Amino acid sequence: NAGVMQNPRHLVRRRGQEARLRCSPVKGHSHVYWYRQLPEEGLKFMVYLQKENIIDESGMPKERFSAEFPKEGPSILRIQQVVRGDSAAYFCASSPPGTGSYEKLFFGSGTQLSVL
Amino acid sequence: GESVGLHLPTLSVQEGDNSIINCAYSNSASDYFIWYKQESGKGPQFIIDIRSNMDKRQGQRVTVLLNKTVKHLSLQIAATQPGDSAVYFCAEIPKGGKLIFGQGTELSVKP
């Protein structure tokens, strides 16, 4: 019963370094979503991708952040030149084909990014 | 025990009691609503959903009530157990829009 797999579970970076967060969706799911959660806050939408396409990136910061979901392999959320304010839990979710966008999301356990 | 969502983010109940977690949603155009449970160190887990053409839906030990007139959503948990302790988020999807999470309510169950 492989759900959404995220790695690493914890990631520590120094200011200015790059962070790469990986997400493997549930087998057969073709939609991937990334959300960010600050302590004691709700999840904030970042980006919605389908295979090789960015569908909605309205929640992504304009600079330093990028996401991809290649034909083969996991989805990657990349943060360049990290700053302390990037410290947060980053959650990936996937949904099966045939469901409405953003419905029936299955979430991974998240990557906790800490920027020193 | 009962919370009022944004104004009372913490709810403490006795094991065996019923819990009511409330949520005021923002968009009158939202037509799909979901409750998620998030345990410490884990991702949100789907509990129950409801569409705007319904006002009540029941699951196993959980019931969601939707009042579109006042844009209010509630989650009722019957016979609350220690394993129910978590943060509960309501979420809405406006028609053609994206999933938007509310602030969350922390439920603490006392044995």
Side-chain angles (χ1 to χ4, degrees):
Chain A
N1 183 19
V4 176
M5 303 300 292
Q6 289 188 248
N7 68 83
R9 193 80 174 81
H10 300 275
L11 181 60
V12 179
R13 285 288 178 265
R14 295 190 182 280
R15 280 178 297 170
Q17 290 184 319
E18 178 180 286
R20 291 172 70 89
L21 287 61
R22 294 175 184 77
C23 169
S24 295
V26 174
K27 189 176 181 180
H29 285 194
S30 55
H31 303 191
V32 165
Y33 310 78
W34 286 93
Y35 280 78
R36 175 164 62 177
Q37 185 177 34
L38 295 172
E40 299 191 3
E41 292 191 9
L43 281 75
K44 297 289 194 290
F45 169 78
M46 298 182 74
V47 63
Y48 163 32
L49 310 105
Q50 294 180 16
K51 286 283 188 182
E52 300 183 281
N53 282 307
I54 297 174
I55 306 302
D56 182 350
E57 57 180 347
S58 58
M60 289 279 269
K62 298 294 181 217
E63 298 177 346
R64 303 188 297 108
F65 284 71
S66 62
E68 62 176 8
F69 187 19
K71 187 177 180 182
E72 301 291 338
S75 175
I76 305 288
L77 178 67
R78 182 184 178 205
I79 311 172
Q80 295 177 287
Q81 299 174 326
V82 296
V83 300
R84 290 219 173 105
D86 298 332
S87 296
Y90 291 83
F91 289 96
C92 172
S94 70
S95 64
T99 55
S101 300
Y102 305 98
E103 296 186 10
K104 306 295 184 193
L105 266 59
F106 294 79
F107 282 86
S109 293
T111 294
Q112 180 65 51
L113 173 64
S114 298
V115 179
L116 305 179
Chain B
E2 184 169 340
S3 81
V4 289
L6 293 176
H7 302 291
L8 290 174
T10 303
L11 174 64
S12 183
V13 301
Q14 205 69 40
E15 181 178 359
D17 286 352
N18 296 334
S19 302
I20 300 174
I21 301 171
N22 296 299
C23 174
Y25 63 92
S26 56
N27 194 327
S28 56
S30 292
D31 62 357
Y32 181 58
F33 304 87
I34 310 130
W35 280 100
Y36 284 95
K37 172 186 180 184
Q38 186 176 25
E39 296 173 279
S40 181
K42 296 185 179 180
Q45 176 187 357
F46 173 92
I47 301 173
I48 192 167
D49 59 358
I50 189 168
R51 295 204 178 271
S52 59
N53 60 353
M54 303 172 68
D55 53 21
K56 180 179 180 179
R57 189 157 188 233
Q58 287 186 292
Q60 188 176 15
R61 277 201 312 118
V62 294
T63 301
V64 55
L65 298 176
L66 174 63
N67 185 331
K68 295 181 287 295
T69 304
V70 294
K71 294 193 289 186
H72 184 268
L73 194 67
S74 69
L75 176 70
Q76 299 178 1
I77 305 174
T80 314
Q81 302 168 0
D84 295 327
S85 294
V87 177
Y88 289 80
F89 291 98
C90 65
E92 60 182 302
I93 301 181
K95 205 172 184 66
K98 56 179 68 69
L99 183 66
I100 302 169
F101 281 84
Q103 182 185 20
T105 298
E106 182 172 8
L107 176 65
S108 175
V109 182
K110 296 176 286 188

Short mmCIF file of all heavy atoms in Angstrom, two decimals, chain B residues 78-109:
data_model
loop_
_atom_site.label_atom_id
_atom_site.label_comp_id
_atom_site.label_asym_id
_atom_site.label_seq_id
_atom_site.Cartn_x
_atom_site.Cartn_y
_atom_site.Cartn_z
N ALA B 78 -18.14 11.33 17.15
CA ALA B 78 -18.86 10.66 18.23
C ALA B 78 -17.89 9.82 19.07
O ALA B 78 -16.93 9.26 18.55
CB ALA B 78 -19.94 9.75 17.65
N ALA B 79 -18.14 9.78 20.37
CA ALA B 79 -17.36 8.96 21.29
C ALA B 79 -15.86 9.14 21.05
O ALA B 79 -15.14 8.21 20.69
CB ALA B 79 -17.75 7.48 21.13
N THR B 80 -15.40 10.37 21.25
CA THR B 80 -14.01 10.72 20.94
C THR B 80 -13.02 9.84 21.69
O THR B 80 -13.20 9.55 22.88
CB THR B 80 -13.77 12.19 21.29
OG1 THR B 80 -14.85 12.98 20.79
CG2 THR B 80 -12.49 12.69 20.65
N GLN B 81 -11.99 9.43 20.98
CA GLN B 81 -10.98 8.53 21.52
C GLN B 81 -9.62 9.23 21.54
O GLN B 81 -9.39 10.18 20.79
CB GLN B 81 -10.89 7.27 20.65
CG GLN B 81 -12.20 6.52 20.52
CD GLN B 81 -12.15 5.47 19.42
OE1 GLN B 81 -11.15 5.28 18.75
NE2 GLN B 81 -13.26 4.76 19.26
N PRO B 82 -8.68 8.76 22.36
CA PRO B 82 -7.35 9.38 22.38
C PRO B 82 -6.69 9.44 21.00
O PRO B 82 -5.98 10.39 20.69
CB PRO B 82 -6.57 8.47 23.34
CG PRO B 82 -7.61 7.93 24.26
CD PRO B 82 -8.83 7.74 23.40
N GLY B 83 -6.95 8.44 20.18
CA GLY B 83 -6.39 8.43 18.82
C GLY B 83 -6.94 9.51 17.92
O GLY B 83 -6.42 9.73 16.82
N ASP B 84 -7.98 10.19 18.36
CA ASP B 84 -8.55 11.31 17.59
C ASP B 84 -7.78 12.60 17.83
O ASP B 84 -8.01 13.59 17.13
CB ASP B 84 -10.02 11.52 17.96
CG ASP B 84 -10.92 10.35 17.56
OD1 ASP B 84 -10.63 9.70 16.53
OD2 ASP B 84 -11.90 10.07 18.29
N SER B 85 -6.90 12.61 18.80
CA SER B 85 -6.12 13.82 19.08
C SER B 85 -5.27 14.19 17.87
O SER B 85 -4.47 13.38 17.38
CB SER B 85 -5.21 13.60 20.30
OG SER B 85 -5.96 13.41 21.47
N ALA B 86 -5.46 15.38 17.37
CA ALA B 86 -4.77 15.83 16.16
C ALA B 86 -5.22 17.26 15.88
O ALA B 86 -6.05 17.82 16.60
CB ALA B 86 -5.13 14.93 14.97
N VAL B 87 -4.69 17.83 14.81
CA VAL B 87 -5.20 19.10 14.31
C VAL B 87 -6.15 18.79 13.16
O VAL B 87 -5.83 17.99 12.28
CB VAL B 87 -4.07 20.02 13.83
CG1 VAL B 87 -4.63 21.31 13.24
CG2 VAL B 87 -3.12 20.34 14.98
N TYR B 88 -7.29 19.42 13.18
CA TYR B 88 -8.31 19.19 12.16
C TYR B 88 -8.45 20.45 11.30
O TYR B 88 -8.63 21.56 11.82
CB TYR B 88 -9.65 18.83 12.80
CG TYR B 88 -9.62 17.45 13.41
CD1 TYR B 88 -9.04 17.24 14.67
CD2 TYR B 88 -10.12 16.35 12.73
CE1 TYR B 88 -8.97 15.97 15.22
CE2 TYR B 88 -10.07 15.07 13.28
CZ TYR B 88 -9.49 14.90 14.52
OH TYR B 88 -9.43 13.63 15.05
N PHE B 89 -8.35 20.24 10.00
CA PHE B 89 -8.47 21.35 9.05
C PHE B 89 -9.71 21.16 8.20
O PHE B 89 -9.95 20.06 7.68
CB PHE B 89 -7.27 21.39 8.10
CG PHE B 89 -5.97 21.79 8.75
CD1 PHE B 89 -5.06 20.82 9.15
CD2 PHE B 89 -5.66 23.13 8.93
CE1 PHE B 89 -3.86 21.17 9.74
CE2 PHE B 89 -4.46 23.49 9.52
CZ PHE B 89 -3.56 22.52 9.92
N CYS B 90 -10.47 22.24 8.03
CA CYS B 90 -11.46 22.24 6.99
C CYS B 90 -10.81 22.80 5.73
O CYS B 90 -9.83 23.55 5.81
CB CYS B 90 -12.69 23.06 7.37
SG CYS B 90 -12.38 24.83 7.56
N ALA B 91 -11.30 22.40 4.60
CA ALA B 91 -10.78 22.89 3.32
C ALA B 91 -11.94 23.05 2.36
O ALA B 91 -12.93 22.31 2.44
CB ALA B 91 -9.73 21.94 2.76
N GLU B 92 -11.81 24.00 1.47
CA GLU B 92 -12.87 24.27 0.51
C GLU B 92 -12.28 24.35 -0.89
O GLU B 92 -11.10 24.69 -1.06
CB GLU B 92 -13.58 25.58 0.85
CG GLU B 92 -12.66 26.80 0.85
CD GLU B 92 -13.36 28.09 1.24
OE1 GLU B 92 -14.35 28.46 0.58
OE2 GLU B 92 -12.89 28.73 2.20
N ILE B 93 -13.13 24.05 -1.86
CA ILE B 93 -12.73 24.22 -3.26
C ILE B 93 -13.81 25.04 -3.94
O ILE B 93 -14.93 24.57 -4.14
CB ILE B 93 -12.58 22.88 -4.00
CG1 ILE B 93 -11.54 22.01 -3.31
CG2 ILE B 93 -12.16 23.14 -5.45
CD1 ILE B 93 -11.32 20.67 -4.01
N PRO B 94 -13.49 26.28 -4.29
CA PRO B 94 -14.44 27.06 -5.08
C PRO B 94 -14.57 26.43 -6.47
O PRO B 94 -13.63 25.79 -6.95
CB PRO B 94 -13.79 28.44 -5.17
CG PRO B 94 -12.73 28.44 -4.12
CD PRO B 94 -12.29 27.03 -3.95
N LYS B 95 -15.69 26.60 -7.09
CA LYS B 95 -15.91 26.04 -8.42
C LYS B 95 -14.81 26.52 -9.36
O LYS B 95 -14.60 27.72 -9.52
CB LYS B 95 -17.27 26.46 -8.94
CG LYS B 95 -17.86 25.52 -9.98
CD LYS B 95 -19.28 25.89 -10.30
CE LYS B 95 -19.91 24.90 -11.25
NZ LYS B 95 -20.05 23.57 -10.64
N GLY B 96 -14.08 25.59 -9.95
CA GLY B 96 -12.99 25.95 -10.85
C GLY B 96 -11.74 26.43 -10.15
O GLY B 96 -10.77 26.81 -10.81
N GLY B 97 -11.74 26.40 -8.81
CA GLY B 97 -10.59 26.92 -8.06
C GLY B 97 -9.78 25.82 -7.43
O GLY B 97 -9.92 24.64 -7.75
N LYS B 98 -8.93 26.21 -6.51
CA LYS B 98 -8.02 25.27 -5.89
C LYS B 98 -8.40 25.00 -4.45
O LYS B 98 -9.19 25.74 -3.84
CB LYS B 98 -6.59 25.80 -5.97
CG LYS B 98 -6.40 27.18 -5.34
CD LYS B 98 -4.95 27.62 -5.43
CE LYS B 98 -4.53 27.89 -6.85
NZ LYS B 98 -5.18 29.07 -7.45
N LEU B 99 -7.83 23.92 -3.90
CA LEU B 99 -8.10 23.53 -2.51
C LEU B 99 -7.49 24.55 -1.56
O LEU B 99 -6.28 24.82 -1.60
CB LEU B 99 -7.49 22.16 -2.27
CG LEU B 99 -7.70 21.53 -0.89
CD1 LEU B 99 -9.16 21.21 -0.67
CD2 LEU B 99 -6.85 20.27 -0.76
N ILE B 100 -8.30 25.11 -0.70
CA ILE B 100 -7.86 26.14 0.25
C ILE B 100 -8.11 25.62 1.65
O ILE B 100 -9.24 25.27 2.00
CB ILE B 100 -8.63 27.45 0.04
CG1 ILE B 100 -8.43 27.96 -1.40
CG2 ILE B 100 -8.17 28.51 1.05
CD1 ILE B 100 -9.36 29.10 -1.76
N PHE B 101 -7.04 25.60 2.46
CA PHE B 101 -7.15 25.12 3.84
C PHE B 101 -7.51 26.26 4.78
O PHE B 101 -7.03 27.39 4.63
CB PHE B 101 -5.82 24.51 4.29
CG PHE B 101 -5.59 23.12 3.78
CD1 PHE B 101 -5.07 22.89 2.52
CD2 PHE B 101 -5.89 22.02 4.57
CE1 PHE B 101 -4.85 21.62 2.05
CE2 PHE B 101 -5.68 20.74 4.12
CZ PHE B 101 -5.17 20.52 2.85
N GLY B 102 -8.31 25.93 5.80
CA GLY B 102 -8.55 26.84 6.89
C GLY B 102 -7.42 26.76 7.90
O GLY B 102 -6.44 26.04 7.71
N GLN B 103 -7.54 27.50 9.01
CA GLN B 103 -6.45 27.60 9.97
C GLN B 103 -6.24 26.31 10.74
O GLN B 103 -5.13 25.94 11.02
CB GLN B 103 -6.73 28.74 10.96
CG GLN B 103 -5.61 28.94 11.96
CD GLN B 103 -5.96 29.98 13.01
OE1 GLN B 103 -7.11 30.28 13.21
NE2 GLN B 103 -4.96 30.52 13.67
N GLY B 104 -7.27 25.62 11.10
CA GLY B 104 -7.12 24.39 11.86
C GLY B 104 -7.52 24.53 13.31
O GLY B 104 -7.42 25.62 13.89
N THR B 105 -7.95 23.45 13.90
CA THR B 105 -8.31 23.36 15.32
C THR B 105 -7.61 22.16 15.91
O THR B 105 -7.69 21.06 15.36
CB THR B 105 -9.83 23.20 15.50
OG1 THR B 105 -10.48 24.36 14.98
CG2 THR B 105 -10.18 23.03 16.97
N GLU B 106 -6.92 22.37 17.02
CA GLU B 106 -6.23 21.26 17.68
C GLU B 106 -7.18 20.60 18.66
O GLU B 106 -7.71 21.24 19.57
CB GLU B 106 -4.99 21.74 18.41
CG GLU B 106 -4.22 20.59 19.07
CD GLU B 106 -2.89 21.02 19.62
OE1 GLU B 106 -2.60 22.23 19.63
OE2 GLU B 106 -2.13 20.13 20.06
N LEU B 107 -7.41 19.31 18.47
CA LEU B 107 -8.26 18.53 19.36
C LEU B 107 -7.39 17.73 20.31
O LEU B 107 -6.52 16.98 19.89
CB LEU B 107 -9.16 17.60 18.56
CG LEU B 107 -10.04 16.64 19.36
CD1 LEU B 107 -11.07 17.42 20.19
CD2 LEU B 107 -10.75 15.64 18.45
N SER B 108 -7.64 17.90 21.60
CA SER B 108 -6.91 17.17 22.62
C SER B 108 -7.91 16.33 23.41
O SER B 108 -8.88 16.85 23.94
CB SER B 108 -6.18 18.14 23.56
OG SER B 108 -5.56 17.45 24.61
N VAL B 109 -7.68 15.02 23.47
CA VAL B 109 -8.60 14.11 24.14
C VAL B 109 -7.98 13.66 25.45
O VAL B 109 -6.90 13.05 25.46
CB VAL B 109 -8.92 12.90 23.25
CG1 VAL B 109 -9.92 11.98 23.95
CG2 VAL B 109 -9.46 13.36 21.90
#
